[in-house]
Amino acid sequence: MPLDHVTVLLQGNYSEETARIIERLKALAPTLPIVLSCWESNRAAVAATGPTGITTVFSEDPGAPAIPGFKGDNIRRQIVSTRAGLDQVRTPWVVKTRSDIAIDPARLPELTSLCTAIPASAPALFGHKVVATSLTTLDARRAGLYFHVCDWVYLGRVEDVRAIFSAPLPDGEFFTHFQGASPAPEICSRYRSETYLIYHLVRDKLGVSYPFSGHLDPELARLSHAVLKTNFAIVNPWNLGLRSSKHRKLYLWLRPDRHTELTCGSYLARVGGARAALAAGRDLASRVASATAPALISLRNRVRAWCG
């Protein structure tokens, strides 16, 4: 697939990091269409430092409710800025990324080959599979959180990615659902962002009810597993060439409750035996590192405290 058939959509706040990411994309893939979807408050900064030769769209910031004691929820911002960016896409394919992460455009032709047609008999949310990354894509049977697909990167046909962001903007009680709960989860919202974007399709297309993130039901866990394997090709971050200055040790994110190339997705089946073996070995090594790192860091800190 020619690179001028896929648009990179950078969504979120504009920063100097975003400018560097765009310049790198243009240097590596001059014909690659790029859309930047950011905020009206970024307009002056984009005018002063923004790169040329891309499409830029500005939206009013819908804000993020601040619930004391809980991590912030930017789901409204993600939906608004992604929709505005998708409206500017003129190619049949799109890869939606955050404005503060970089991917390798040389990987895009191979990655689009993972977006195979989904059989009508399957629990289908899309016409073709969507590529996502393993970072926070959770195995429902281990994590207890269902329909939870990492929202950092979605690559697929425009109509399929647009379906993900067709979810209605949440408001009101959605953001205060767990206020006063004991024990309190990390997020106060009724659904985590990663779940909300996918669950609204599960509800509308499959007629399934999932009351809130953290609700436990073995049948829903099995359905979540089937939905992820059917509709997504999960790719580990290094096979996207994914880089984040905010999160530098991404290999530590591959914990046992994550879906990865080994357990969900079609990457290993498409790249040939030698590369599949290398990818599987790296996946397993990252899982081991992620599982042992907390204990090793704790031991290091105790040794430092004792020596000091």
Side-chain angles (χ1 to χ4, degrees):
M1 184 206 65
L3 281 180
D4 59 3
H5 281 48
V6 57
T7 297
V8 172
L9 166 56
L10 293 148
Q11 162 270 319
N13 192 54
Y14 178 79
S15 65
E16 292 181 2
E17 176 82 2
T18 311
R20 289 192 293 269
I21 289 169
I22 294 172
E23 288 299 343
R24 180 174 180 270
L25 286 171
K26 292 174 64 178
L28 293 175
T31 64
L32 185 72
I34 299 171
V35 172
L36 169 65
S37 183
C38 55
W39 308 115
E40 284 291 345
S41 60
N42 297 141
R43 190 179 288 272
V46 171
T49 64
T52 58
I54 69 168
T55 300
T56 304
V57 57
F58 300 95
S59 302
E60 292 292 342
D61 186 350
I67 311 299
F70 292 90
K71 184 179 178 181
D73 185 346
N74 285 312
I75 184 63
R76 290 174 60 87
R77 286 173 168 157
Q78 183 173 190
I79 292 173
V80 166
S81 58
T82 303
R83 282 181 186 168
L86 287 170
D87 286 345
Q88 303 300 315
V89 173
R90 300 293 180 263
T91 56
W93 297 84
V94 65
V95 51
K96 173 268 175 193
T97 75
R98 288 172 25 164
S99 59
D100 61 351
I101 64 171
I103 60 171
D104 182 357
R107 312 289 180 96
L108 295 179
E110 179 177 80
L111 291 170
T112 58
S113 73
L114 303 179
C115 300
T116 53
I118 299 174
S121 58
L125 307 182
F126 315 115
H128 294 76
K129 285 193 174 189
V130 172
V131 173
T133 186
S134 58
L135 292 172
T136 58
T137 298
L138 300 183
D139 183 338
R141 300 166 301 179
R142 292 174 177 264
L145 294 166
Y146 309 157
F147 314 113
H148 197 286
V149 180
C150 184
D151 55 3
W152 285 28
V153 177
Y154 293 120
L155 183 155
R157 294 178 180 265
V158 172
E159 62 270 21
D160 294 329
V161 176
R162 184 173 280 122
I164 294 173
F165 291 94
S166 66
L169 289 185
D171 209 343
E173 187 274 338
F174 177 93
F175 293 105
T176 59
H177 185 82
F178 287 105
Q179 199 168 29
S182 182
E186 181 184 29
I187 305 293
C188 195
S189 301
R190 182 174 182 176
Y191 301 103
R192 291 181 173 225
S193 297
E194 298 93 334
T195 289
Y196 182 68
L197 292 171
I198 307 307
Y199 167 61
H200 91 278
L201 292 173
V202 173
R203 180 196 61 210
D204 294 349
K205 291 180 175 290
L206 305 181
V208 171
S209 176
Y210 177 42
F212 54 84
S213 287
H215 172 77
L216 299 179
D217 182 322
E219 289 301 319
L220 280 177
R222 282 189 281 272
L223 177 63
S224 176
H225 182 78
V227 164
L228 265 63
K229 286 186 71 70
T230 297
N231 292 278
F232 294 92
I234 303 302
V235 178
N236 292 337
W238 48 82
N239 288 322
L240 284 162
L242 194 154
R243 298 188 304 173
S244 168
S245 59
K246 182 179 179 181
H247 305 286
R248 295 184 181 277
K249 297 181 179 179
L250 293 177
Y251 59 88
L252 294 179
W253 292 43
L254 267 67
R255 304 186 182 104
D257 64 353
R258 263 56 167 182
H259 268 310
T260 68
E261 292 164 357
L262 284 179
T263 60
C264 180
S266 48
Y267 181 81
L268 299 183
R270 308 277 300 186
V271 297
R275 287 181 62 197
L278 178 63
R282 191 169 183 179
D283 185 301
L284 290 171
S286 295
R287 286 172 178 260
V288 171
S290 181
T292 58
L296 294 175
I297 291 170
S298 177
L299 177 61
R300 180 199 65 187
N301 291 340
R302 286 200 298 270
V303 169
R304 285 180 175 177
W306 179 76
C307 292

